[in-house]
Amino acid sequence: MLRGKTILLGVTGGIAAYKAAILCSKLVQKGAEVHVIMTESAVRFIAPLTLQTLSRHPVHLDTFDEQNPGAVTHIDLADRADLILIAPATANSLAKLAAGLADDMLSTTLLAATAPIIAAPAMNVHMYEHPATVANMETLGRRGVRFIDPGTGQLACGYVAKGRLAEPEDIVLAAERFFASRTLLAGKRLLVTAGGTVERFDPVRYLTNDSSGKMGFAIAEAARDMGAEVTVVAARTDVPAPGGVELVRVESAEQMLEAVLSRYAEADIVVKAAAVADYRPVERHASKLKKSAATLTLELEKTTDILAELGRRKSGQFLVGFAAETERLAEHAMDKLRRKNCDLIVANDVTMEGAGFGGDTNAVQVFDAAGPALSLPVLGKRETAERVLELVAARLGGAREEAR
Ligand code: PMT
């Protein structure tokens, strides 16, 4: 997986910097071309010569140390990287990256880079849990930076707690998993719905729900990064849509039905993450309703259940539904899976802290026809999306194996 890949290794100033030597060596042994950038503080912990010898390339320390007049080194390094690893990543380096600071070779290169970033934090437990560090990591997570959790154990500062740099083997594994995931859905067409539908009853008033579109967009983004050709049918959302996907804007459940059905035949995988209205106003008034009587009764009628319709018309598509539940999650989710003929259903308890509508995280349980298939803790919506799509890819791979 790492052979021929260009990996930029950013080493920042913590005691765990010595482990960067082992990491660098392992990456090179696996066939990666490794270029190392060290911060001024990292150099206090480990000699650049060590990393130069192991990587077989000069180590970059100073933005202004331009040896090659034919290139601007930090831009060149940023452009060439297939992946950037920051290990160890100190609280300071994460803060700088979150704030967009560019005051040394590493931060300047990171700001210029479009390559994916995996950071392996290492620091004192209180620094790791400080609200500033937590907020910085959340900001970076939203921008697509992945993290390898630090381990728990004896820290250099004397505490026995969380904050130890992940083992170099685990960082290498994360890099390998990252490259492997890039082709998991290659050649597949994935259709995903996102956001909350809007059901109007006059020109300025409507019924909707709390969906922000984040979960559906996270699915779209993760599927795109796994090599799928992605179409998102998005109703009302609060967040910018991901790039590199086909975006179809709709408003109501009826429009979503039409948009999804017209693209269904070409889809290999359909994920229904949108929160779709179950009922819509019977009447849609042409002009703004006037205030008159003390009460107003809105008559509602059922919308078409899009997912159930897709389940009925299934002709080889892999169908993934979502279930937003407030009680008896497994029971309701399994009922929806069967009624709507889904291959998988992703259930979230929307009353749970860190899960459901609006936020950047979710906690889901995935079911198949046989019962529980995957249970995930509170994770970023992007990571949740990746884990769900890994399961989809595994199921599709399994189906291919059986067909042989
Ligand atoms: O958008 P976010 O703020 O990130 O929030 C994410 C989420 C909570 C919206 C998402 O995780 C989620 O749970 N989406 C499904 C919401 C929902 O409508 O759940 P439901 O249990 O009411 O519906 C079950 C399934 O049927 C869903 O896949 C839904 O898209 C589909 N459905 C429902 C009604 C309908 N008329 N047509 C449908 O296709």
Side-chain angles (χ1 to χ4, degrees):
M1 273 301 156
L2 299 186
R3 189 154 298 282
K5 297 286 190 281
T6 301
I7 296 181
L8 192 60
L9 175 59
V11 183
T12 69
I15 179 62
Y18 79 92
K19 287 194 190 171
I22 306 165
L23 173 61
C24 179
S25 166
K26 287 190 181 300
L27 293 169
V28 171
Q29 281 170 32
K30 295 258 180 183
E33 179 172 319
V34 182
H35 294 274
V36 181
I37 301 178
M38 296 175 74
T39 62
E40 212 180 309
S41 323
V43 172
R44 291 176 178 249
F45 290 97
I46 177 171
L49 184 60
T50 308
L51 288 154
Q52 174 174 308
T53 310
L54 292 168
S55 69
R56 296 172 206 143
H57 290 289
V59 170
H60 304 275
L61 306 169
D62 179 359
T63 329
F64 299 102
D65 182 19
E66 291 285 11
Q67 300 288 336
N68 174 8
V72 178
T73 310
H74 64 277
I75 303 294
D76 187 45
L77 285 170
D79 287 351
R80 282 162 59 190
D82 294 311
L83 174 68
I84 299 174
L85 287 175
I86 312 175
T90 57
N92 183 54
S93 63
L94 296 174
K96 280 168 62 170
L97 184 55
L101 292 182
D103 63 353
D104 63 5
M105 183 61 179
L106 181 61
S107 53
T108 308
T109 307
L110 291 177
L111 207 59
T114 53
I117 299 175
I118 301 180
M123 62 196 78
N124 163 272
V125 62
H126 297 312
M127 293 169 86
Y128 185 66
E129 288 172 355
H130 193 285
T133 306
V134 172
N136 288 329
M137 288 178 63
E138 278 172 7
T139 301
L140 293 172
R142 276 196 298 277
R143 288 188 207 143
V145 174
R146 294 141 203 258
F147 291 96
I148 305 174
D149 268 1
T152 299
Q154 179 82 45
L155 303 181
C157 52
Y159 284 88
V160 178
K162 192 165 180 172
R164 268 164 67 138
L165 180 69
E167 292 308 319
E169 294 75 12
D170 293 331
I171 301 174
V172 172
L173 205 66
E176 286 178 324
R177 273 191 62 198
F178 164 77
F179 284 114
S181 77
R182 304 254 278 192
T183 53
L184 269 184
L185 295 177
K188 299 286 176 211
R189 272 181 293 230
L190 183 139
L191 180 62
V192 55
T193 64
T197 57
V198 165
E199 309 298 334
R200 295 192 180 271
F201 55 91
D202 81 8
V204 295
R205 300 187 184 98
Y206 52 82
L207 303 175
T208 187
N209 58 64
D210 282 334
S211 174
S212 62
K214 288 179 183 174
M215 192 66 243
F217 283 170
I219 298 270
E221 217 174 70
R224 175 201 67 194
D225 292 347
M226 290 177 170
E229 202 179 300
V230 179
T231 299
V232 195
V233 175
R236 193 189 56 76
T237 59
D238 300 338
V239 290
V245 303
E246 184 197 6
L247 179 66
V248 182
R249 294 273 184 196
V250 296
E251 191 173 88
S252 63
E254 200 177 341
Q255 289 169 2
M256 181 172 281
L257 172 73
E258 220 180 284
V260 169
L261 284 185
S262 65
R263 289 165 178 83
Y264 194 38
E266 287 82 47
D268 299 300
I269 305 160
V270 180
V271 184
K272 285 286 294 82
V276 186
D278 291 321
Y279 291 90
R280 64 165 163 250
V282 171
E283 231 183 313
R284 186 170 165 175
H285 298 271
S287 50
K288 190 179 163 204
L289 277 181
K290 289 286 169 221
K291 186 164 54 177
S292 53
T295 60
L296 171 73
T297 303
L298 265 185
E299 196 184 351
L300 303 178
E301 63 185 359
K302 260 191 177 166
T303 57
T304 305
D305 190 317
I306 305 169
L307 183 58
E309 193 56 40
L310 297 178
R312 266 191 293 278
R313 298 184 186 205
K314 207 150 72 163
S315 58
Q317 295 88 348
F318 193 90
L319 193 54
V320 184
F322 265 72
E325 304 299 343
T326 54
E327 53 170 1
R328 311 218 302 272
L329 182 116
E331 188 186 323
H332 290 311
M334 285 302 289
D335 175 58
K336 282 176 188 167
L337 175 116
R338 289 188 190 111
R339 271 193 297 112
K340 304 190 188 202
N341 194 21
C342 298
D343 295 287
L344 293 175
I345 197 137
V346 183
N348 37 196
D349 177 347
V350 292
T351 61
M352 183 182 153
E353 179 84 14
F357 293 99
D360 292 322
T361 57
N362 207 351
V364 304
Q365 291 184 46
V366 187
F367 299 86
D368 62 16
L374 176 71
S375 177
L376 297 176
V378 175
L379 295 172
K381 281 184 174 165
R382 166 66 199 238
E383 195 175 344
T384 303
E386 281 171 19
R387 303 284 292 274
V388 169
L389 290 176
E390 279 169 10
L391 179 64
V392 171
R395 292 296 164 96
L396 287 173
R400 258 202 311 275
E401 286 302 308
E402 272 169 35
R404 278 195 196 136

